[in-house]
Amino acid sequence: MVKRVLLIEDEPNIIEAVRYILTREGWAVDTHANGATALDAVARRRPDVIVLDAMLPNRSGFDILRDLRADAGLAAIPVLMLTARGQRADREMAERLGADRFMTKPFANAEVLACLRDLAGLGAG
């Protein structure tokens, strides 16, 4: 079964890198770049996993994560926070708000893939 990921990211280079890594492994990848409408995109697409940037136009990834976890219909979707903001306070905030994993940019392709496989329940594959 094909797993679907929603990448909520506004940096074109990161979008292309993550899309390449995942599509090569058989994932279906949807992308969304606007923080203000990200929650609607999640509700519409119902991904198996979300990759969420902390710094987005119009709304932060932390705010989006807070709203995801407060929505009974979306709260169970695993979230990987993938961000350039690697300070301890950012990591702690992501964990407090319910992120399943936290990874900083730059990232190792294999690490992202392994993390998403784990979050989607695919094992080491």
Side-chain angles (χ1 to χ4, degrees), residues 30-84:
D30 292 317
T31 63
H32 194 80
N34 186 336
T37 55
L39 210 58
D40 292 335
V42 173
R44 205 170 47 252
R45 294 183 174 133
R46 298 289 176 166
D48 296 300
V49 182
I50 297 167
V51 178
L52 179 60
D53 187 11
M55 297 180 290
L56 293 162
N58 305 313
R59 191 144 193 258
S60 83
F62 296 114
D63 290 339
I64 295 163
L65 181 58
R66 180 182 297 113
D67 288 351
L68 275 170
R69 294 307 185 224
D71 184 316
L74 305 176
I77 301 172
V79 175
L80 164 61
M81 280 301 271
L82 184 63
T83 180

Side-chain angles (χ1 to χ4, degrees), residues 56-122:
L56 293 162
N58 305 313
R59 191 144 193 258
S60 83
F62 296 114
D63 290 339
I64 295 163
L65 181 58
R66 180 182 297 113
D67 288 351
L68 275 170
R69 294 307 185 224
D71 184 316
L74 305 176
I77 301 172
V79 175
L80 164 61
M81 280 301 271
L82 184 63
T83 180
R85 296 178 59 150
Q87 295 83 359
R88 176 181 286 175
D90 295 315
R91 181 179 297 273
E92 289 172 354
M93 179 181 290
E95 289 172 3
R96 194 168 49 253
L97 294 173
D100 295 278
R101 299 286 175 83
F102 186 93
M103 198 175 292
T104 57
K105 300 172 190 173
F107 53 84
N109 293 354
E111 190 178 3
V112 169
L113 185 57
C115 178
L116 291 178
R117 278 184 183 143
D118 185 50
L119 290 175
L122 297 175

